[in-house]
Amino acid sequence: MSLLDLRIRDAGPHDAAALTRIYLVSRRTFLDYAPLRHTDAEIHDWIAHVLIPGGGTRVVERGGRAVGFYAIDFRDGCGWLDQFYLLPDDVGQGMGTMMLASALSELVFPVRLWCFRANSRARRFYERHGFIALQFSDGSLNEEGVPDILYGIEERRRILLTLGQ
């Protein structure tokens, strides 16, 4: 299956279970140092009743199966990338770059996002795509209590996509 098989669409109520699964599997695989402060059921309720109805949540499908999602917002004069998750088996295949390009095409600039400091893979990804560290936090402002970084990109930049087979 190639990246040409990717489809990005608005999330709807029927996507809550799939997005919850993606969120939990991704968090438990890549962010095991950042404890989840809510039960699986509470996370599902948040996705179903807050995240999706709030708008700006996009589902990434490959071959008709949800493999990732992101959520965007506008506040404080900036576009925000608030959620960005991909199933572990689908990481490293160019899908994240396509997801980011899609999100940036919708967002108002400047764009901001928070990333855990210990998430070196995500940090390299965002920095490779032009984001710069704007602020370092001790984690006192996030519910996990884990040090993080505020990243920003000030202007629309072209993200080069390498489409796989």
Side-chain angles (χ1 to χ4, degrees):
M1 213 173 287
S2 79
L3 292 179
L4 297 174
D5 297 321
L6 282 185
R7 176 177 173 232
I8 299 175
R9 62 172 177 78
D10 291 345
H14 60 282
D15 293 309
L19 299 192
T20 301
R21 180 179 60 85
I22 293 165
Y23 179 88
L24 291 171
V25 169
S26 183
R27 286 287 307 251
R28 289 178 176 143
T29 301
F30 296 120
L31 307 174
D32 60 348
Y33 52 83
L36 290 169
R37 300 290 186 205
H38 303 279
T39 66
D40 293 5
E42 290 169 335
I43 291 167
H44 178 271
D45 286 347
W46 168 71
I47 288 173
H49 303 294
V50 178
L51 187 68
I52 292 173
T57 303
R58 309 290 182 259
V59 178
V60 180
E61 293 179 328
R62 185 176 191 184
R65 182 178 71 94
V67 297
F69 74 95
Y70 63 86
I72 57 174
D73 194 12
F74 178 79
R75 61 184 184 277
D76 305 323
C78 298
W80 284 85
L81 183 56
D82 287 330
Q83 307 293 325
F84 196 85
Y85 292 96
L86 192 59
L87 287 173
D89 289 346
D90 294 291
V91 170
Q93 300 177 34
M95 287 185 239
T97 298
M98 290 188 78
M99 289 170 60
L100 184 58
S102 177
L104 292 176
S105 74
E106 297 183 67
L107 285 166
V108 173
F109 283 72
V111 173
R112 302 287 184 261
L113 65 88
W114 286 98
C115 181
F116 293 124
R117 277 197 227 179
N119 194 347
S120 58
R121 185 178 200 146
R123 290 176 61 186
R124 284 190 308 271
F125 173 79
Y126 293 124
E127 290 168 7
R128 186 171 63 246
H129 292 298
F131 283 83
I132 58 169
L134 301 175
Q135 176 185 336
F136 291 82
S137 163
D138 64 2
S140 61
L141 299 178
N142 64 55
E143 67 182 25
E144 294 88 353
V146 176
D148 53 7
I149 302 171
L150 176 64
Y151 275 100
I153 189 167
E154 301 306 309
E155 60 193 39
R156 189 170 306 276
R157 295 177 187 217
R158 183 167 183 254
I159 294 181
L160 300 176
L161 301 178
T162 304
L163 300 177
Q165 326 284 350

